[in-house]
Amino acid sequence: MTSEIDLSCRNINKTFDDFIAVRDVSFEIPRGSFFSILGPSGCGKTTLLRMLAGFLEPSSGDITIKGRSMLGIPPNKRPVNMVFQHLALFPMMTVAENIAYGLRRRKEKPAEIKRKVADALERVGLPGVGDRAISQLSGGQKQRIAIARCLVLEPDVLLLDEPLGALDLKLREHMKVELKKLQQAFGTTFIYITHDQSEAMVMSDNVAVMNSGRFEQVGSPQDLYYNPSTAFVAGFVGESNRFSGTVVSRAGNIVEVKTECGQHLHASERVDLNLASGQKVELFVRPEMIHLSREPQQSTDNSMTGQVENILFDGGNSRLLIRETSSGSEIQVVHPQTSEFSDINKGDTLFLSWKADQSHVFLDTNERGEA
Ligand SMILES: Nc1ncnc2c1ncn2[C@@H]1O[C@H](COP(=O)(O)OP(=O)(O)OP(=O)(O)O)[C@@H](O)[C@H]1O
Ligand SMILES: [Mg+2]
């Protein structure tokens, strides 16, 4: 991968009448990388992708691909292709005819088309299925054909709008890995939109977390997970225990918070927040960051005592639901699959602890004064 920029957006806005669907979005995507846009339903993902593809014009801002502005350039003249959520394969054509469709429209030579189609089928791992009808393929195979049909046109950028949405869970898990491999094999820049954080995290070099039309944070999956920059990102990416409370004091970047349930907790603050006493905040700690013990802990930044209320078995992702004794609040902790905890029962008392820098504190979303 080079660091050459394939696609960049500068201050993109899109309004529908007086509704702002995309607000002031800027980003750059290096050539050959896998970039995901992750956000809840209605946050503006498809609107943004349609602007990149050329089906919608931005209300303001600029989009460049390989340094050339795309404003006013129709979809078929842009070096991009789009894979839609509800894939649009032609059911009356064979697999090979589907893949050849775009090449025929470009009036490429029949021998050349035949070679490219066979090559594309090979590369998506389905050699020899060219003569089959679309109805003779499984959901995952159809998805790969839809992608082959785009990749055969050798776009600089491939746009994918929730392409795994229609597949069942098992197949989605499989296709996640397949898609990442395909992207690496072709070396094409992928822009992938999804509301599924696990899809975005597994496949991407970089992820933009989108909320209400805005990019909240752009970063590597590790960045988003370990250093979320807003409460929204902390809550949306991965699992977290969330506490609402008020700032009591601070020492350096460690903030003491009194929660609504009356607990006193300590968390690290991102340098740019400058939280002050009395401000309403949200505090996050991930279930796997909490240390469990059967004995009371030496004084740590955060400690609690609670009873096991439920054991949620899910293999390596098993959780304990713990009801804190003094406040009654519920906390999820990863269930360590070690012999020490293998005989744990409902009602057992456990001691919980974690360090301040293993949890994050943000200004309460409602206090951020958003329009
Ligand atoms: N042509 C349009 N006219 C008016 N409003 C629109 C139009 N297209 C989209 N919107 C609105 O813009 C917002 C963003 O829509 P968009 O389709 O981009 O969301 P999304 O993030 O793709 O959601 P989903 O995950 O459900 O597909 C929504 O509130 C939607 O109702
Ligand atoms: Mg959408």
Side-chain angles (χ1 to χ4, degrees):
M1 199 199 313
T2 70
S3 60
E4 201 178 325
I5 299 304
D6 236 5
L7 183 143
S8 88
C9 282
R10 288 268 158 277
N11 309 103
I12 294 288
N13 284 280
K14 182 67 191 177
T15 51
F16 296 111
D17 299 322
D18 57 357
F19 176 75
I20 308 174
V22 172
R23 47 178 101 200
D24 204 26
V25 165
S26 299
F27 61 94
E28 288 186 338
I29 305 180
R31 175 184 288 184
S33 64
F34 198 123
F35 186 86
S36 290
I37 300 168
L38 169 69
S41 182
C43 74
K45 303 181 296 295
T46 298
T47 304
L48 179 57
L49 213 65
R50 288 170 63 82
M51 289 192 278
L52 302 181
F55 299 116
L56 269 179
E57 278 293 303
S59 304
S60 63
D62 195 10
I63 298 167
T64 60
I65 297 180
K66 291 216 154 74
R68 191 160 75 100
S69 174
M70 289 291 122
L71 296 186
I73 299 189
N76 60 348
K77 296 271 161 53
R78 296 189 184 196
V80 303
N81 273 106
M82 189 152 164
V83 179
F84 297 91
Q85 172 166 13
H86 300 287
L87 47 109
L89 291 173
F90 303 114
M92 308 306 287
M93 295 183 189
T94 65
V95 167
E97 286 164 352
N98 265 279
I99 298 175
Y101 182 78
L103 298 170
R104 287 224 174 86
R105 289 192 47 167
R106 278 190 194 164
K107 308 221 181 321
E108 295 202 8
K109 293 195 184 80
E112 193 63 356
I113 293 177
K114 202 169 169 207
R115 188 187 63 76
K116 286 187 179 174
V117 169
D119 181 53
L121 281 172
E122 186 85 38
R123 292 173 86 169
V124 297
L126 292 169
V129 305
D131 294 332
R132 282 209 211 161
I134 295 300
S135 62
Q136 292 172 305
L137 300 176
S138 74
Q141 289 169 336
K142 281 184 199 160
Q143 206 61 55
R144 278 187 268 173
I145 298 303
I147 290 162
R149 191 175 60 168
C150 290
L151 286 174
V152 80
L153 300 172
E154 296 171 70
D156 289 330
V157 180
L158 187 64
L159 308 173
L160 302 106
D161 190 349
E162 310 223 16
L164 307 185
L167 306 180
D168 67 41
L169 184 67
K170 197 85 188 162
L171 198 47
R172 289 172 74 124
E173 292 296 318
H174 175 69
M175 285 301 293
K176 264 190 231 173
V177 184
E178 290 287 302
L179 261 180
K180 177 76 192 160
K181 284 188 194 157
L182 271 179
Q183 186 265 337
Q184 282 171 341
F186 280 77
T188 305
T189 305
F190 274 31
I191 303 182
Y192 186 93
I193 68 180
T194 179
H195 60 264
D196 178 333
Q197 52 108 9
S198 142
E199 263 176 35
M201 301 291 270
V202 166
M203 292 190 286
S204 314
D205 298 305
N206 278 293
V207 180
V209 180
M210 195 170 185
N211 178 30
S212 306
R214 195 180 334 90
F215 275 9
E216 293 254 340
Q217 187 174 358
V218 183
S220 68
Q222 289 81 356
D223 258 355
L224 299 176
Y225 193 84
Y226 293 111
N227 294 306
S229 62
T230 65
F232 180 82
V233 176
F236 196 75
V237 176
E239 301 280 323
S240 275
N241 291 288
R242 181 193 288 241
F243 301 89
S244 295
T246 310
V247 176
V248 177
S249 68
R250 59 178 301 153
N253 74 329
I254 301 300
V255 178
E256 181 188 357
V257 175
K258 185 175 183 201
T259 69
E260 284 171 355
C261 296
Q263 302 129 315
H264 280 260
L265 300 178
H266 298 83
S268 71
E269 178 213 71
R270 288 185 52 96
V271 277
D272 49 351
L273 282 178
N274 277 314
L275 293 171
S277 297
Q279 278 185 309
K280 290 221 174 310
V281 289
E282 289 182 289
L283 189 150
F284 294 82
V285 59
R286 299 206 180 274
E288 74 272 21
M289 295 297 183
I290 299 175
H291 178 256
L292 281 178
S293 167
R294 291 188 189 264
E295 310 297 329
Q297 293 295 287
Q298 300 281 336
S299 69
T300 58
D301 299 334
N302 297 292
S303 54
M304 292 181 178
T305 309
Q307 276 74 44
V308 177
E309 192 164 87
N310 247 311
I311 300 166
L312 310 174
F313 181 76
D314 182 17
N317 292 320
S318 299
R319 304 286 168 94
L320 297 176
L321 280 187
I322 295 178
R323 182 72 60 189
E324 205 218 344
T325 314
S326 61
S327 70
S329 59
E330 185 188 275
I331 298 145
Q332 281 203 30
V333 185
V334 164
H335 183 0
Q337 306 287 306
T338 56
S339 55
E340 191 194 345
F341 293 99
S342 60
D343 59 345
I344 210 140
N345 287 306
K346 279 190 198 177
D348 286 2
T349 295
L350 289 176
F351 299 90
L352 285 56
S353 61
W354 69 93
K355 296 210 179 75
D357 63 9
Q358 290 174 315
S359 61
H360 293 280
V361 62
F362 302 101
L363 204 53
D364 193 307
T365 326
N366 301 318
E367 304 275 305
R368 250 169 41 173
E370 294 174 353

